[in-house]
Amino acid sequence: MMGAFPHRSLLDIEGLTKGDVERILDTAEAFLQVSRRPVRKVPTLRGKTVINLFYEASTRTRTSFELAGKRLSADVINMNVSASSVKKGETLQDTCRTLQAMHPDVIVMRHGASGAANYVASKIDCSVINAGDGMHAHPTQALLDAFTIRREKGTLEDLTVTIVGDIAHSRVARSNAHLLKLFGCEVRVVGPRTLLPPAVDSLGVKVFDDLARALEGADVVMVLRIQRERLEGALLPSLREYARTFGIGPRTIEYAKQDAIVMHPGPMNRGVEIESVIADGDRSVVLEQVEAGVAVRMALLYLLAGESSEPPTVDEAD
Ligand code: CP
């Protein structure tokens, strides 16, 4: 039997070792099989409570955390922030302390402010999972991306991964860069200069402004959403110009390796950062990423809140 997972919360990738990541991904393999069988439920977290607290919109992350909790038999509460006392001016700290008084085991939180999950975790006693905070981190996205890459490529070691697009506003890019570097990957970023963060070098990535050069030899092409809501209209000349220069389509994907996979965290702007023929084509693993999201989030809930029980083995899960 493995020891207890050595973390109370998951706030970012930087707090994890390579061994922690491998343990999460290995655990997720068993839970993937649970999601694929006719009865998609195990009793692992019976009696535990998970609260989803999303201050920002979400389809994939919120739904997959809800499904993950329910498939583990936890009680899952989805707080509707827009119909809560947040609308009456309640502070983040008061909201979280109020929820903590109801004895949840895990609070899953998405917030528009970078550092919000760390702040909450420092104020309350239960586990906190960062489901995306501002432009800082989206650790569960990076973990599900790693899970998908490992299944598709058979390894996470020493791959060349090119992240394309709006790096400056992307918590997905930041978390992926930190995770992939643990496995010796060459992480490249490419996009318009205006969409690269000022301290991009501190991420330890190779920076390109030419898509063809950035994609040469890439095993994985990770396409990011152009975040229209955060761009403030000033950083891109036009979406059409962006699509022509940095969009991933049948012409530009040819720069990558023949067997390169194409990823996108969603939601996609079809016709802007990715063409439909690629998003829906053979190389795309976009829906595999979504499936992986449930398995990885089951693994995290289990590791953070289900310390006293063993996960199902892959054989048992079948
Ligand atoms: N990838 C991702 O975080 O998607 P949602 O915003 O739909 O959760």
Side-chain angles (χ1 to χ4, degrees), residues 54 57-62 110 131 138 141 171-172 265-267 297:
F54 278 59
S58 168
T59 296
R60 281 146 284 267
T61 313
R62 200 197 64 83
R110 172 171 288 189
H138 195 348
Q141 179 70 44
R171 54 198 179 203
V172 174
R297 286 162 181 141

Side-chain angles (χ1 to χ4, degrees), residues 22 25-26 29 146-156:
E22 285 172 333
L25 303 189
D26 291 346
E29 287 291 344
F147 184 82
T148 306
I149 294 170
R150 195 174 77 163
R151 287 186 70 84
E152 295 293 326
K153 294 284 164 195
T155 182
L156 266 178

